Amino acid sequence: MAQFIQILVLGLALGGVIALMGSGLSLVFGVMRIVNLAHPALIIGGAYIAYWAFKLLGLDPILMVPVASIAMAAVGVVLYKLLFEREAKSAKYSEMTVLLTFALATMAEGLLGGLFSNTQRITSPTYATDAIFIGDLFIPKGQLYSGIISLIIISGLTLFLKYSKLGNAIRATTQNREAAELLGINVNAISILAFAIGIGLAGAAGSLVSFVFSFFPAKHWEWVAMLMSVVVLGGMGSILGTVVAALGLSVIAAFVGTWIGATWSTMTFFLALFIVLLVRPQGLFGEKPEMA
């Protein structure tokens, strides 16, 4: 029983971070139909911001969360204006963005590799290697702090989307872009805002990831399938679905890694993606597409 609770706690803590990593990806797809394969590469960009701030200035990566978020949000605005704005009304927009963001991910990897090499790095504040002991249980502080902060950020995002005027405009655009435009919503401005928020969430996740996982520029390819599994299982565009899927899959992966082998834990995400596409393509919280 103690081992069961131990694995459950560790899985939930790590699931919070994965939920934050996937929430920006889900938001961007829900509002603009952009399948952003470059999202993990942008997360690594945020991780480098936190890493170098800690390495050069001694700044805590948790304190760098808002800084990395704002910096990556600014990058998001530039990327949207340069790459995504012009063809936003195209009927094949989602298909186009798959190829476009794949190229963007490759270029981001090359840029980061050229600047920082492919050396594995990890931010090392004191709590990253410390733990809280409760009887026979131990909880790594790094995973605990990152999981709690991730869920706080996601809760703030949820409240913003539900209760603010801009949040309501984003939700309206998600549900029906044409109807939102007819009601006087500046859909293009809302798209820029939503994309900036989504990439800002990538920056925040990167800052937290920097002391939970080791990272290097090519690491993003390992995260693409994991994040797509979480987002697809939860339902493309559903923040709640992303959180539920991230927590559930992380717990399952933790049990698989402990009882079967660490090399098999990653297979949990691939298998989940395969099954959900076969059985329920719209995901747990997604809407079933209407038949023509």
Side-chain angles (χ1 to χ4, degrees):
M1 180 57 69
Q3 185 188 40
F4 180 89
I5 296 174
Q6 177 74 71
I7 298 170
L8 178 63
V9 170
L10 293 177
L12 290 174
L14 194 58
V17 183
I18 296 174
L20 182 60
M21 293 170 70
S23 60
L25 179 62
S26 183
L27 176 67
V28 165
F29 178 83
V31 177
M32 290 157 291
R33 299 169 294 130
I34 295 175
V35 182
N36 188 9
L37 299 182
H39 195 78
L42 297 172
I43 291 174
I44 290 178
Y48 272 111
I49 292 174
Y51 174 82
W52 287 113
F54 178 81
K55 190 78 171 177
L56 300 177
L57 303 174
L59 297 177
D60 192 296
I62 291 178
L63 297 179
M64 287 299 296
V65 167
V67 177
S69 180
I70 293 170
M72 294 308 297
V75 171
V77 171
V78 174
L79 290 176
Y80 186 82
K81 297 292 288 186
L82 289 177
L83 302 177
F84 300 105
E85 184 177 47
R86 185 169 53 182
E87 300 295 332
K89 294 184 179 181
S90 171
K92 297 291 185 179
Y93 190 57
S94 291
E95 292 86 342
M96 291 167 55
T97 62
V98 172
L99 297 175
L100 185 59
T101 57
F102 178 84
L104 178 60
T106 304
M107 289 189 291
E109 177 189 343
L111 177 62
L112 293 172
L115 291 173
F116 308 122
S117 78
N118 277 312
T119 303
Q120 292 205 43
R121 305 180 190 272
I122 189 167
T123 311
S124 53
T126 54
Y127 52 79
T129 54
D130 200 359
I132 298 172
F133 291 88
I134 305 174
D136 293 331
L137 303 179
F138 77 94
I139 306 172
K141 288 185 178 179
Q143 290 188 20
L144 178 64
Y145 294 169
S146 60
I148 291 173
I149 293 169
S150 295
L151 294 178
I152 290 173
I153 293 172
I154 294 172
S155 298
L157 172 66
T158 303
L159 292 174
F160 168 76
L161 293 175
K162 188 171 183 179
Y163 295 109
S164 72
K165 185 176 292 186
L166 286 174
N168 285 328
I170 291 174
R171 290 167 59 205
T173 304
T174 301
Q175 293 170 4
N176 192 314
R177 293 177 65 88
E178 290 75 18
E181 201 163 16
L182 289 174
L183 290 172
I185 295 174
N186 187 333
V187 171
N188 185 57
I190 290 299
S191 295
I192 295 172
L193 174 64
F195 194 79
I197 292 174
I199 306 305
L201 291 172
S207 191
L208 297 175
V209 160
S210 71
F211 60 85
V212 175
F213 302 111
S214 62
F215 61 92
F216 56 98
K219 181 77 172 182
H220 67 103
W221 296 120
E222 299 179 24
W223 292 344
V224 168
M226 179 181 72
L227 297 186
M228 290 303 297
S229 300
V230 167
V231 172
V232 170
L233 177 60
M236 295 290 280
S238 171
I239 302 297
L240 174 61
T242 298
V243 174
V244 172
L247 294 175
L249 288 179
S250 295
V251 169
I252 294 171
F255 279 105
V256 169
T258 302
W259 292 344
I260 300 178
T263 55
W264 290 95
S265 61
T266 308
M267 284 295 296
T268 304
F269 294 91
F270 289 93
L271 186 61
L273 180 60
F274 178 74
I275 293 174
V276 75
L277 289 175
L278 284 178
V279 177
R280 187 179 171 85
Q282 71 271 30
L284 297 175
F285 293 85
E287 296 181 1
K288 190 173 183 179
E290 297 180 1
M291 299 299 292

